[in-house]
Amino acid sequence: MLQALKNLLGFGPKTDYKELLQRGAQLIDVRTKAEFQSGHIKGSLNLSLQTLSGNLGKIRKDKPVIVCCASGVRSGSAKNLLKAQGFTEVYNGGSWMSLQHKIS
């Protein structure tokens, strides 16, 4: 119970995003097209949260998936959506700017 609470509050084990990318993780940016065009992580795929469920075929289920957005809220929703659709290894990278620093 305590560990679940720690994970919920962000105090759980740290995710090594660099290692995930080395393993072939797909980086999905769920912001709008306009937000994505104003800046994004090189190599990321822009599938806005509103269109994500209609574009699941563009994401491989056999590779890890890292989702990001502006703050972490939409990417949290995207993670839940992907998990509900059978994606097993999905990570909420939070804000794209913060994630960019973690993988640089």
Side-chain angles (χ1 to χ4, degrees):
M1 173 77 177
L2 182 59
Q3 188 58 49
L5 185 57
K6 285 181 179 180
N7 290 344
L8 182 66
L9 297 174
F11 297 112
K14 298 291 181 207
T15 302
D16 186 344
Y17 294 104
K18 281 185 185 180
E19 189 268 334
L20 287 171
L21 290 170
Q22 289 169 351
R23 288 182 32 220
Q26 306 156 94
L27 183 53
I28 311 296
D29 189 322
V30 297
R31 296 177 298 147
T32 65
K33 184 177 182 178
E35 287 175 295
F36 184 79
Q37 288 176 337
S38 71
H40 59 273
I41 298 173
K42 185 177 178 180
S44 60
L45 176 62
N46 181 221
L47 299 174
S48 72
L49 182 58
Q50 294 80 6
T51 65
L52 186 60
S53 60
N55 285 296
L56 296 177
K58 295 180 179 181
I59 308 170
R60 294 180 55 169
K61 285 189 175 183
D62 63 337
K63 297 281 185 185
V65 179
I66 304 169
V67 287
C68 66
C69 63
S71 67
V73 175
R74 284 177 283 180
S75 53
S77 295
K79 176 184 175 181
N80 292 336
L81 185 150
L82 292 171
K83 292 285 237 175
Q85 293 298 317
F87 289 81
T88 56
E89 197 174 357
V90 185
Y91 302 88
N92 181 354
S95 125
W96 76 272
M97 283 194 228
S98 173
L99 181 59
Q100 187 167 14
H101 293 295
K102 292 175 186 174
I103 63 175
S104 302

